[in-house]
Amino acid sequence: SSPLMEQLNFFHDHTLLILIMITVLIAYIMFMLFFNKFTNRYLLHGQTIEIIWTILPAVILMFIAFPSLRLLYLMDEINSPLITLKAIGHQWYWSYEYSNFLNLKFDSYMIPTNELDMNGFRLLDVDNRIILPMNNQIRILVTATDVIHSWTVPSLGVKIDATPGRLNQTNFLINQPGLFFGQCSEICGANHSFMPIVIESIPMNYFIKWISSQMNSL
């Protein structure tokens, strides 16, 4: 649901294809060794083949390393964000602050199963969702107040540690409307499994209306 996650998927497929090619080649060579009855008792060394099987793995590793490094730098790039969101991890809930707006902040708790609506998502839905505009660069600043947490939304390709006394940042762009779910991905205590993340992506005009209603209610 984001360009970065799309690139990560492409990289995964690219690497898997290389692994399949290596596996098929090695399986074929092993099969031929097991069932080949011919031997050469005068063969003492083969410098040509040794050069090939030394250089070839290095070339294959370069085909994996260069796309990987490109992706690493892309994920660290901050591209003039429209909105800055600050996420603060607590035991065991998240707090959010919209830094571009005055006093717009709220806590986000998981909705207990016995209070959940029929169309709710068990252990994933929260009482206050993060509302963000689609097709815009979003910067997120992540920290924690007590222990290490990890703010993770897999479908957006975002995973960043929330460390007490430290401010980490990353950015993402959501390219479609919808609900995106995540969870804390760093074991942080007894209720580690019960501090989900929910992002609701909406068009910009609806986001402006939501911001206006939140500011008016302050």
Side-chain angles (χ1 to χ4, degrees):
S1 300
S2 75
L4 271 181
M5 192 60 203
E6 197 173 26
Q7 290 296 314
L8 285 167
N9 275 330
F10 288 152
F11 176 66
H12 170 269
D13 296 344
H14 166 78
T15 311
L16 199 61
L17 197 63
I18 292 173
L19 288 176
I20 289 168
M21 288 166 60
I22 293 169
T23 307
V24 169
L25 177 65
I26 300 301
Y28 171 74
I29 292 170
M30 288 179 71
F31 181 82
M32 294 302 292
L33 283 171
F34 286 144
F35 295 100
N36 189 359
K37 297 289 193 295
F38 298 108
T39 57
N40 185 348
R41 59 198 175 123
Y42 299 111
L43 184 64
L44 298 176
H45 61 84
Q47 286 189 341
T48 308
I49 191 67
E50 284 178 9
I51 289 169
I52 290 170
W53 73 38
T54 302
I55 292 174
L56 195 63
V59 173
I60 292 170
L61 284 173
M62 284 168 64
F63 275 101
I64 296 174
F66 287 133
S68 174
L69 286 169
R70 171 181 162 271
L71 257 179
L72 276 173
Y73 279 102
L74 270 177
M75 291 172 78
D76 272 347
E77 194 72 34
I78 303 294
N79 303 311
S80 303
L82 179 81
I83 288 171
T84 299
L85 177 71
K86 186 176 180 183
I88 305 163
H90 309 271
Q91 286 181 307
W92 288 273
Y93 65 97
W94 294 97
S95 296
Y96 298 103
E97 298 176 7
Y98 286 76
S99 304
N100 305 83
F101 308 98
L102 199 62
N103 289 329
L104 183 49
K105 53 188 176 182
F106 52 83
D107 296 333
S108 181
Y109 290 87
M110 185 192 81
I111 301 174
T113 305
N114 59 343
E115 297 176 16
L116 203 60
D117 294 333
M118 287 294 290
N119 59 350
F121 294 92
R122 180 177 168 272
L123 301 183
L124 282 177
D125 235 331
V126 294
D127 54 357
N128 290 311
R129 294 170 175 170
I130 310 163
I131 310 293
L132 291 172
M134 57 183 277
N135 292 327
N136 286 284
Q137 283 289 339
I138 312 294
R139 172 172 57 190
I140 178 157
L141 306 173
V142 183
T143 187
T145 56
D146 35 46
V147 297
I148 298 175
H149 301 276
S150 185
W151 198 89
T152 307
V153 183
S155 56
L156 300 178
V158 178
K159 178 173 180 171
I160 182 164
D161 281 351
T163 311
R166 183 184 176 93
L167 204 60
N168 292 327
Q169 77 167 352
T170 189
N171 75 308
F172 56 89
L173 182 145
I174 308 171
N175 57 18
Q176 59 186 1
L179 288 178
F180 305 99
F181 296 93
Q183 289 177 301
C184 176
S185 296
E186 191 74 56
I187 295 174
C188 58
N191 290 333
H192 158 67
S193 305
F194 309 114
M195 46 183 302
I197 300 153
V198 184
I199 296 176
E200 187 172 344
S201 170
I202 56 177
M204 177 55 85
N205 54 334
Y206 290 107
F207 178 75
I208 292 169
K209 287 179 184 174
W210 178 79
I211 285 291
S212 302
S213 66
Q214 293 295 310
M215 298 303 289
N216 290 335
S217 63
L218 291 176

